[in-house]
Amino acid sequence: MVKYYQQHDKFYVSVDCIVFGFDGSQLEVLIGKRQMDPGRGEWSLYGGFLEANESLQDCAHRTLLSLTGLDEMYMRQVGAFGEVDRDPGDRVISIAYCALINVKDYDDSLREKYGLEWVTLDKLPEMYSDHRLMIHNAVMQLRRRIYTRPLSFNLLPELFTLTQLQHVFEAVLGEPIDKRNFRKRLKQTDIVVQTDLIDHSSSRSGAMLYRFNKEKYGEEPTIKL
């Protein structure tokens, strides 16, 4: 086999996964102590190196499956991070992926297996290399897209109240939303469908349960609120 590009340097390519969850009031991210040198013991995202026979998306899927045990989830590429000195170990270019999961679907034994912790965004510690920048960029992308894509539904159970949905929006945006305006704008769309079920966990009278309108909008529709 003819070898091309022999005159060029070779670099490592890695994938780092930013897994967001929702605890009912705040957005959390899954991080852990680094288990390899350099940077052993520092807080970091969970990732892995790209193998010769896989695409970036395949590598991200493999890494997330190992990390969460979930085979289907929202996953989107955040971007490439390639500063020359970003990794003290070698020349490494990292592609960050963002995933959104419902924390209740996550097998907590995997968190313990990998020594991971759910940490809210306001309590992020110092982290290895540029991992905090990756998280920041991912959050900024979520904030830009939450009103045009149904991202929030990935953080909720299949059935939810409008209050729970509003809390997800507030957690992602990092600011309170007026309840009346939120529900008024929500009713102007058909992104959610009211069910015949009532949630009695928060009050005696209960609150109506809703579901995402998958029949109309599919997996990742364009919506406007």
Side-chain angles (χ1 to χ4, degrees):
M1 180 182 295
V2 178
K3 297 290 185 180
Y4 298 99
Y5 314 126
Q6 293 294 316
Q7 72 274 26
H8 297 288
D9 294 332
K10 304 296 189 297
F11 307 126
Y12 293 99
V13 177
S14 69
V15 163
D16 285 297
C17 295
I18 308 159
V19 179
F20 289 115
F22 180 64
D23 70 351
S25 61
Q26 297 185 81
L27 197 64
E28 300 178 308
V29 62
L30 202 57
I31 64 175
K33 294 293 184 71
R34 190 169 164 87
Q35 302 296 314
M36 60 186 294
D37 293 320
R40 186 184 297 271
E42 295 182 32
W43 289 103
S44 74
L45 296 169
Y46 189 86
F49 285 99
L50 181 72
E51 296 182 356
N53 63 343
E54 64 182 356
S55 67
L56 285 170
Q57 187 155 331
D58 288 341
C59 181
H61 182 270
R62 170 176 59 83
T63 304
L64 285 167
L65 179 61
S66 173
L67 177 64
T68 67
L70 301 175
D71 192 42
E72 295 183 7
M73 69 182 75
Y74 172 89
M75 180 181 77
R76 180 178 174 84
Q77 188 179 122
V78 173
F81 296 79
E83 292 296 324
V84 174
D85 59 350
R86 64 171 299 275
D87 193 310
D90 211 320
R91 183 77 168 97
V92 180
I93 297 172
S94 182
I95 314 299
Y97 278 81
C98 168
L100 304 177
I101 67 172
N102 179 5
V103 174
K104 292 183 179 179
D105 293 336
Y106 179 56
D107 185 352
D108 201 55
S109 66
L110 289 174
R111 183 189 62 78
E112 295 178 353
K113 174 182 177 180
Y114 292 110
L116 303 171
E117 297 290 341
W118 286 108
V119 179
T120 56
L121 298 179
D122 61 343
K123 294 184 179 179
L124 276 178
E126 291 300 316
M127 299 184 69
Y128 180 75
S129 185
D130 48 12
H131 287 194
R132 279 183 64 114
L133 177 61
M134 292 180 182
I135 295 172
H136 171 79
N137 288 3
V139 171
M140 292 301 102
Q141 289 185 14
L142 291 179
R143 289 176 178 174
R144 288 194 297 269
R145 291 168 59 82
I146 193 169
Y147 278 117
T148 59
R149 293 290 188 272
L151 307 180
S152 54
F153 302 101
N154 297 280
L155 298 166
L156 289 168
E158 183 177 357
L159 299 178
F160 51 84
T161 66
L162 293 185
T163 297
Q164 289 175 313
L165 180 59
Q166 180 177 334
H167 286 168
V168 170
F169 270 73
E170 291 174 333
V172 172
L173 294 171
E175 60 185 17
I177 301 174
D178 180 76
K179 177 179 178 179
R180 182 179 299 177
N181 288 339
F182 177 77
R183 297 196 177 195
K184 179 180 178 181
R185 297 169 72 183
L186 190 65
K187 289 179 179 179
Q188 293 172 351
T189 74
D190 53 1
I191 62 172
V192 296
V193 176
Q194 181 176 312
T195 71
D196 296 326
L197 303 174
I198 298 177
D199 174 27
H200 290 283
S201 61
S202 58
S203 68
R204 181 177 298 178
S205 59
M208 296 301 303
L209 287 167
Y210 292 75
R211 63 176 177 83
F212 170 50
N213 191 354
K214 292 183 180 179
E215 292 81 2
K216 183 173 178 62
Y217 289 101
E219 291 302 317
E220 194 186 5
T222 298
I223 60 176
K224 293 183 180 179
L225 272 178

